[in-house]
Amino acid sequence: MIQSRRSRIGNALTYAAVIPLAAFFLIPVIWLVSLSVRTPQEVFLGASRLIPEAPTLANFGQVLTDGGFRLYLWNSVKLAFLGAAGAVAFAAPASYAFSRMTFRGKPALMMGILAVQMVSGLVILIPLYRYMDRLGLLETHFGTTLLYISAGIPVTVWLLKTSFDAVPMELEEAAAIDGLGRFETFLRITLPLAAPGVASALILNVILNWSQFLIPFVMLSESAKWPISVAIFNYAGATNATTTQLLAAACLVAVVPTLIVFLALQRLIVRALTSGALKG
């Protein structure tokens, strides 16, 4: 009885803390949805009601049929997936080495990789711009993708190392007895068994790359090469009272894909992130 009462009190306190926090983040999103389904006349009149008088989906139709926004969405898809795939491809061998090999300075190197992730992009903004300019990689998706990859490698190394740690060493030892080399063992044994972790790392990189703003904003000034994040920023600067509803619709179009992906695959992501801890 006492334990049940404590459990109910704990649940009540949890909800009391979570509900205001959720409301704090959800209210702006709800207001954004409200703006996106308003008519230009209602936006112009500045109506403050949450539910519009005459909701309409025409704003989404206009955004999705606008050739410019379709191009921006395609640019975001291309940069996000190429950057994520590149980060996973480069981080996987390094993660395997950290998981399976012993060498001098290993803990310090791991902490150094984590420290790189903590450095703000604003700190290296000017040197990065000049460096990419000298390489002739400004105004190119190739150069932008390289920066996406470099930005995603540190966190990906840590995620994949956790997944590789969860793969039993006995399986690799058996593969070595069968004559497989280290690289063959990595490709044919360890990597397939760590597939959930690899998939979660790929998904997280895609989500992070989709919302990336600073790198494409610095690298790309030609509008035809912008991803959706930069396009919305520039579109917001030119927004007036008659186009606010279009900006809100464009923001939702940019947010919804990542939200759907996360909600659909959240179990895979959580399982992969906790697999190392559960194994331990």
Side-chain angles (χ1 to χ4, degrees):
M1 180 67 69
I2 295 177
Q3 185 68 27
S4 177
R5 182 178 301 175
R6 288 179 178 177
S7 178
R8 288 196 298 269
I9 294 175
N11 290 338
L13 292 175
T14 300
Y15 283 113
V18 169
I19 290 176
L21 184 63
F24 178 78
F25 288 101
L26 286 177
I27 288 176
V29 177
I30 294 173
W31 188 253
L32 183 67
V33 174
S34 175
L35 283 175
S36 68
V37 295
R38 297 187 182 200
T39 62
Q41 294 77 11
E42 193 169 358
V43 172
F44 180 77
L45 294 175
S48 59
R49 64 173 62 194
L50 182 61
I51 301 177
E53 292 183 359
T56 176
L57 297 178
N59 299 323
F60 293 98
Q62 186 172 342
V63 168
L64 293 175
T65 55
D66 186 333
F69 273 101
R70 290 203 304 271
L71 178 60
Y72 302 145
L73 286 171
W74 166 244
N75 290 339
S76 291
V77 170
K78 181 168 63 173
L79 291 172
F81 278 91
L82 289 178
V88 171
F90 282 102
S95 302
Y96 181 76
F98 282 120
S99 175
R100 293 297 192 250
M101 300 179 184
T102 301
F103 50 88
R104 183 178 300 177
K106 175 179 173 180
L109 188 55
M110 283 293 293
M111 292 306 299
I113 293 175
L114 184 61
V116 170
Q117 186 69 27
M118 298 178 181
V119 177
S120 172
L122 293 173
V123 176
I124 59 174
L125 184 60
I126 295 177
L128 182 63
Y129 180 87
R130 298 186 63 178
Y131 179 68
M132 299 303 286
D133 183 31
R134 289 187 178 183
L135 292 176
L137 295 177
L138 288 180
E139 305 297 339
T140 66
H141 280 172
F142 177 72
T144 307
T145 301
L146 290 179
L147 295 184
Y148 275 42
I149 292 172
S150 62
I153 283 178
V155 67
T156 306
V157 167
W158 278 82
L159 289 174
L160 294 184
K161 179 184 180 300
T162 302
S163 299
F164 292 149
D165 287 343
V167 177
M169 282 289 298
E170 292 79 4
L171 297 177
E172 295 190 4
E173 293 171 355
I177 294 175
D178 290 339
L180 293 182
R182 174 77 73 176
F183 187 68
E184 287 181 302
T185 301
F186 167 66
L187 288 181
R188 298 174 60 179
I189 305 296
T190 310
L191 199 59
L193 291 175
V198 175
S200 68
L202 183 67
I203 294 166
L204 288 175
N205 272 281
V206 169
I207 293 174
L208 292 174
N209 290 343
W210 185 272
S211 60
Q212 180 65 253
F213 172 77
L214 185 61
I215 291 176
F217 181 72
V218 172
M219 290 287 295
L220 306 171
S221 62
E222 298 179 12
S223 60
K225 298 179 180 179
W226 289 341
I228 191 68
S229 57
V230 178
I232 288 177
F233 173 79
N234 287 278
Y235 187 64
T239 299
N240 52 51
T242 61
T243 56
T244 300
Q245 75 283 355
L246 297 179
L247 176 61
C251 290
L252 282 180
V253 169
V255 169
V256 167
T258 55
L259 185 61
I260 292 176
V261 168
F262 180 79
L263 291 177
L265 302 174
Q266 60 178 327
R267 291 186 179 181
L268 172 64
I269 296 174
V270 172
R271 185 169 65 248
L273 292 177
T274 59
S275 61
L278 294 176
K279 181 69 177 179

